[in-house]
Amino acid sequence: MGRYYEEFEVGQTFVTKTRTISDADISSFAELSGDHNKLHVDENYAKTTPFKTRIAHGPLGFAIATGLSYSTGLFDGTTLALLGVEWSFTAAIFPGDTLHVEMKVKSKREASRPDRGLVVRDFNLVNQDGVVVQKGVITVMVKRKSFNE
């Protein structure tokens, strides 16, 4: 079971496990999303770009970040809703990059209903070289323990 609202403290930092991005991940995301931009799916074209190779779709990085966050178990069974996202793409994600997420509880506040609260987290999606490739703020609504025991 994940953590309840009361169990999060402002300033807490969590680091996820890693995930390596494969060519298959990029191709699968192109199929799923319908985004077949040559920068992502055509290696010959991608060689002519400043990146010199295919790169992952930006939204794929975001999806990986949310999945890595979920894999911590912190929000398993206690999350009620995703309320907001502010997200920036700061560097390319390449096939073979190994990513992890560093999240920090930025703030929290009680919701209008007493059985839930809002947790705001800063996210950094970081590659194997320590480069932040994407970052943002994600707000979720979580259960309050005193109303859900």
Side-chain angles (χ1 to χ4, degrees), residues 29-92:
F29 192 82
E31 289 303 315
L32 177 68
S33 67
D35 179 351
H36 296 278
N37 183 311
K38 289 181 180 184
L39 183 57
H40 307 302
V41 299
D42 183 336
E43 184 62 34
N44 288 329
Y45 169 79
K47 287 178 183 178
T48 70
T49 71
F51 301 110
K52 304 294 183 205
T53 190
R54 294 169 56 198
I55 62 170
H57 303 72
L60 173 58
F62 174 74
I64 297 291
T66 61
L68 287 170
S69 169
Y70 180 78
S71 74
T72 65
L74 294 168
F75 299 92
D76 190 16
T78 56
T79 299
L80 297 169
L82 172 65
L83 297 180
V85 176
E86 299 171 34
W87 205 254
S88 298
F89 306 93
T90 54

Side-chain angles (χ1 to χ4, degrees), residues 3-6 8-9 75 83 104-109 117-121 138-142:
R3 292 190 182 192
Y4 290 95
Y5 170 79
E6 295 89 344
F8 287 102
E9 295 180 22
F75 299 92
L83 297 180
K104 182 176 183 179
V105 178
K106 180 177 183 175
S107 64
K108 62 183 240 183
R109 68 180 189 279
L118 309 181
V119 178
V120 180
R121 298 167 292 158
I138 297 179
T139 303
V140 291
M141 180 181 293
V142 297

Side-chain angles (χ1 to χ4, degrees), residues 93-109:
I93 299 171
F94 298 95
D97 277 356
T98 299
L99 307 174
H100 72 276
V101 170
E102 298 169 358
M103 355 174 226
K104 182 176 183 179
V105 178
K106 180 177 183 175
S107 64
K108 62 183 240 183
R109 68 180 189 279

